[in-house]
Amino acid sequence: MNILYFVALYLTVINLTGFAVMGIDKRKAVRHLWRVRESTLFLIALLGGSVGSILGMRMFRHKTRHWYFVYGMPAILVLQILLAVFILTRG
């Protein structure tokens, strides 16, 4: 198997994780239960789950009043896209 298969698999898993964790945290917030740390939500996005995290934010209407999520998550995605373009065009 080639590297692209593993990259695609990794990105699928990390984005599903980002989406799911946003939903889990929203559910816990509504029920006034223990919450997922914001640093964990950002870490998942930084590790490649920014698309899933953004979709989770929108679908579950979660963290949409926090400017650092509203602007931070898309900023992470843009940086990841720029990094991918740099890596793919460099050689």
Side-chain angles (χ1 to χ4, degrees):
M1 293 189 200
N2 66 29
I3 188 77
L4 290 179
Y5 171 80
F6 290 109
V7 170
L9 180 63
Y10 172 78
L11 289 174
T12 300
V13 170
I14 195 71
N15 279 286
L16 287 173
T17 301
F19 183 82
V21 171
M22 281 291 181
I24 291 166
D25 192 47
K26 174 65 176 196
R27 188 173 187 179
K28 289 182 176 206
V30 169
R31 295 179 176 196
H32 304 287
L33 297 173
W34 168 86
R35 303 283 303 281
V36 177
R37 289 178 167 217
E38 290 182 345
S39 60
T40 301
L41 298 174
F42 273 108
L43 180 61
I44 292 168
L46 285 169
L47 292 175
S50 55
V51 172
S53 296
I54 292 168
L55 290 175
M57 281 177 55
R58 304 255 185 250
M59 179 167 275
F60 303 116
R61 295 186 184 123
H62 190 50
K63 298 292 186 185
T64 56
R65 293 184 181 185
H66 301 278
W67 67 267
Y68 43 92
F69 276 90
V70 172
Y71 296 108
M73 290 292 177
I76 291 170
L77 176 59
V78 168
L79 290 174
Q80 289 170 338
I81 290 169
L82 291 173
L83 179 62
V85 167
F86 173 76
I87 290 170
L88 293 173
T89 60
R90 152 180 108 102

